[in-house]
Amino acid sequence: MTESVKRSTRVFVLTGGVILIGLGALGTHDLFRHPAERFLPTRFQDLMFLGPVSIGFGIVTTLRGLFWSASRVLRRVVMGTGLLMLAVGGCPWMYTPFITGDRQEGAGMLATTIFIFVGMPGLAITIAGWALRQKAKSDG
């Protein structure tokens, strides 16, 4: 690729990452608001549950735009962070009863919250780390 194409692609990726972070922050903000105080229109309020995932993808995309060469350290950090988040948030229903003192309602609500805010972004970051790894393998 020519230098101008690389630069424009890098700016596009960086801008897309920032937009994803902004949309994710907006969606996550709406999760904690009364329905009358939300920014998203009623027909799009189901998308607010994708806010944490959007933030995760946005962070990885922004890092990819900033560090275009995707060094080995960056790939390992992204993949390691994603796998750790996936391990902690992927199945929190196994350990939350120990945290809440075996109160089932509290354990279920805490587990769902952990899954949404840690597990789903962890899956997104793991997929992004895997994609970075595959891209590095194909580049040689």
Side-chain angles (χ1 to χ4, degrees):
M1 271 201 282
T2 65
E3 186 63 33
S4 63
V5 173
K6 259 189 179 179
R7 184 172 293 140
S8 65
T9 304
R10 191 173 178 180
V11 168
F12 179 73
V13 169
L14 189 62
T15 304
V18 171
I19 289 171
L20 280 172
I21 291 171
L23 291 174
L26 178 66
T28 304
H29 172 269
D30 279 359
L31 275 173
F32 299 106
R33 298 289 174 227
H34 188 271
E37 299 173 354
R38 293 182 178 153
F39 290 122
L40 293 173
T42 306
R43 69 173 64 148
F44 296 119
Q45 286 184 355
D46 290 340
L47 296 175
M48 68 185 163
F49 294 108
L50 297 176
V53 175
S54 179
I55 291 173
F57 265 132
I59 290 171
V60 171
T61 305
T62 303
L63 287 174
R64 178 70 173 153
L66 290 174
F67 306 107
W68 190 254
S69 63
S71 69
R72 175 174 280 178
V73 174
L74 175 66
R75 290 192 308 267
R76 286 185 180 185
V77 166
V78 169
M79 185 67 114
T81 303
L83 288 173
L84 178 65
M85 289 175 69
L86 193 57
V88 170
C91 196
W93 295 274
M94 293 172 52
Y95 61 83
T96 51
F98 300 113
I99 297 172
T100 62
D102 205 24
R103 291 189 309 263
Q104 293 302 316
E105 297 84 14
M109 292 190 320
L110 177 63
T112 302
T113 304
I114 291 172
F115 178 73
I116 290 172
F117 289 108
V118 179
M120 287 175 54
L123 178 63
I125 292 172
T126 302
I127 291 170
W130 178 80
L132 284 174
R133 198 169 168 200
Q134 295 302 319
K135 172 89 169 104
K137 282 183 181 178
S138 69
D139 289 345

